[in-house]
DNA sequence: CGCTACATTGAATCGAGTCAACACGCGTGG
DNA sequence: CCACGCGTGTTGACTCGATTCAATGTAGCG
């Protein structure tokens, strides 16, 4: 696997990440200290119960963060893309990961050593605050998701997931069109249902011309209508 | 409503709250600045979308934190009791509350002004860190709850809720016995189901001698069995 | 005493999960 | 170049847990 090691200084998605709070010299230092890895599709980035050794920052590709329950069922918490941090909560709390992170597309992910991360955190007040805010936002999002899963029927949850996924632009693009590139199984786990039900709902949406499907990948045609379906149960 | 204004210096549940990280002089200052209010059952402490004006800290009684969706359905996020903080995430993020807090028993709740809270936060590193950890823990708990609601059947979710509620000791005690004092409706909202289903499940548990019921209040008889039922689907 | 809020029970209905069969595309190895 | 297998996607039929609707019971309070 040959590729140019991405440098934080010139990283195009840095201003989308928390490191946009950092001064030039900090960024350079982080860049020196960090390592970088490529992950193939379905390769594990980190595993539930493992101790964090640093902060993962996605450069390219997408990752699913999920929990496995004893019935072998997977609950996907979120899909992370370029610029997103992984596992920072566990890192900050000095605790083992509560989730597993797996690449769902080939991905390039940088790893900032724990000590370097804490350095920045201690020395850069703005960064610290932004981090705090991010965690608050995380928790809020999770709360919303919690309310959804409890009361929205599958149709509404899938509509919402599609809108959110398309909005975040986490997947590779093709001729300027955003395609959602998740297996039906992963989409199902993300909204808390099973593959078959997810497939049926997607077929419905296709029949209603809300989405189109190109080689399994989903593209949204009618954003507003999906948003409406999603909000029916808010 | 006459009562002695509780002082932080002598507050019995302070060491259960985050203020246990504070030095004596800090505590005294907070105590001077704070106000205190009594809330009757079903009275609103703060409302979704309102801007936080300070940090609420429960002295006595219990409070439900919930979201209302447009169908009029309520999703209870958590039940808070003595020593618990309310709405700190919104306060920290300088954003409107995302939930509504309502007293479910008569409650005494102190309010630390925003500026004073931020003072402590800025000046006491330990407090800041503990706060960060608390928010991380919150988010983790929410993640767990998310996984649960998606995959555990109602029976398991109710069993779990009962165990957690009893464990937290948030309700008034009676002859040293912990009774859970929630309406069936609230219990239902807490686990994401409807009143009738919650009632049926509770009846089952009663028939199986796992709990007893005294004037609508629930007391756990067989902790382990409930824990087992809850874990069946983890 | 009667009102109101909360609790309970039964019957009907429906959304979603399960099970099973089959289709499709892709890569590997003969 | 084709055959095979494997992972993924699709569809139908059946089942069941949970919600809904409706009726009735019970406790507490003014």
């Amino acid at each position: 696997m040959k590729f140019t090691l991405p440098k934080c200084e010139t990283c195009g998605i840095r201003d989308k990440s928390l490191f946009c709070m950092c001064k030039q010299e900090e960024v350079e230092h982080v860049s020196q200290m960090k390592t970088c890895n490529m992950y193939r599709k379905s390769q594990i980035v980190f595993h539930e119960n493992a101790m964090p050794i640093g902060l993962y920052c996605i450069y390219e590709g997408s990752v699913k963060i999920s929990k496995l329950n004893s019935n072998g069922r997977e609950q996907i918490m979120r899909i992370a893309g370029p610029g997103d941090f992984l596992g920072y909560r566990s890192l900050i709390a000095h605790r083992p990961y509560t989730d597993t992170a797996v690449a769902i597309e080939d991905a390039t992910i940088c790893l900032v050593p724990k000590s370097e991360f804490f350095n920045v955190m201690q020395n850069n007040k703005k960064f610290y605050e932004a981090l705090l805010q991010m965690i608050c936002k995380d928790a809020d999002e999770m709360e919303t998701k919690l309310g959804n899963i409890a009361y929205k029927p599958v149709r509404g949850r899938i509509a919402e997931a599609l809108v959110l996924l398309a909005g975040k632009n986490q997947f590779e693009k093709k001729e300027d069109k955003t395609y959602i590139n998740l297996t039906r199984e992963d989409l199902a786990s993300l909204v808390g249902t099973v593959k078959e039900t997810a497939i049926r709902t997607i077929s419905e949406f296709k029949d209603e011309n809300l989405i189109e499907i190109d080689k399994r990948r989903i593209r949204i045609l009618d954003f507003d209508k999906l948003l409406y379906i999603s909000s029916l149960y808010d």
Side-chain angles (χ1 to χ4, degrees), chain A:
Chain A
M1 277 180 246
K2 272 196 235 166
F3 66 104
T4 336
L5 185 77
K7 286 188 181 298
C8 301
E9 302 94 294
T10 57
C11 177
I13 41 99
R14 193 182 79 230
D15 43 327
K16 281 193 196 166
S17 91
L18 260 201
F19 285 123
C20 70
M21 314 295 320
C22 290
K23 282 168 256 156
Q24 180 67 17
E25 65 222 47
E26 279 176 323
V27 173
E28 276 166 18
H29 196 256
V30 167
S31 193
Q32 268 185 13
M33 302 298 291
K34 83 174 201 309
T35 58
C36 188
N37 255 302
M38 286 204 63
Y39 297 85
R40 292 244 156 249
K41 191 182 157 152
S42 85
Q43 212 179 319
I44 291 179
V45 180
F46 58 76
H47 204 284
E48 203 172 334
N49 297 323
M51 278 310 280
I53 55 167
L55 175 78
Y56 292 95
C57 183
I58 301 179
Y59 176 68
E60 227 178 23
S62 53
V63 171
K64 64 175 172 184
I65 290 89
S66 62
K67 269 177 166 21
L68 214 63
N69 70 16
S70 62
N71 297 314
R73 290 244 255 178
E74 184 187 40
Q75 167 73 37
I76 297 183
M77 297 302 165
R78 62 191 186 100
I79 304 290
D84 286 337
F85 288 174
L86 302 180
Y88 50 92
R89 284 213 311 274
S90 301
L91 180 66
I92 290 169
H94 305 283
R95 291 201 233 176
Y97 288 121
T98 55
D99 312 276
T100 300
V102 175
I104 53 176
E105 291 174 323
D106 291 353
T108 308
I109 304 176
C110 298
L111 175 62
V112 179
K114 187 169 175 164
S115 58
E116 177 65 15
F117 172 72
F118 276 101
N119 261 345
V120 176
M121 199 168 107
Q122 302 296 334
N123 297 326
N124 186 334
K125 203 158 194 169
K126 277 200 171 173
F127 183 83
Y128 200 160
E129 271 165 25
L131 194 64
L132 196 60
Q133 308 266 337
M134 183 166 75
I135 295 173
C136 288
K137 198 166 135 258
D138 266 23
D140 286 348
E141 268 174 24
M142 216 121 55
E143 259 195 24
T144 307
K145 200 173 166 184
L146 196 59
N148 284 348
I149 235 170
Y151 291 126
K152 270 192 202 179
V154 169
R155 193 177 150 85
R157 303 211 298 271
I158 301 233
E160 177 167 39
L162 292 180
V163 168
L164 284 177
L165 287 170
K168 284 199 186 163
N169 272 337
Q170 286 164 339
F171 300 98
E172 37 160 1
K173 294 200 182 152
K174 205 191 150 191
E175 301 149 19
D176 237 13
K177 295 175 180 175
T178 306
Y179 283 90
I180 295 168
N181 191 14
L182 275 184
T183 66
R184 309 293 129 121
E185 185 106 47
D186 280 345
L187 182 59
S189 303
L190 183 62
V191 302
T193 182
V194 294
K195 188 180 45 169
E196 294 92 325
T197 305
I199 287 171
R200 283 184 241 272
T201 309
I202 290 173
S203 299
E204 279 174 35
F205 288 164
K206 196 178 59 180
D207 293 346
E208 299 167 34
N209 287 314
L210 306 178
I211 58 174
E212 70 175 9
I213 293 181
D214 174 16
K215 308 220 182 245
R216 298 168 174 183
R217 302 199 313 290
I218 299 168
R219 183 168 157 253
I220 294 188
L221 296 177
D222 194 336
F223 213 87
D224 293 339
K225 192 75 180 292
L226 282 175
L227 210 54
Y228 172 72
I229 291 172
S230 151
S231 73
L232 276 181
Y233 314 93
D234 269 341

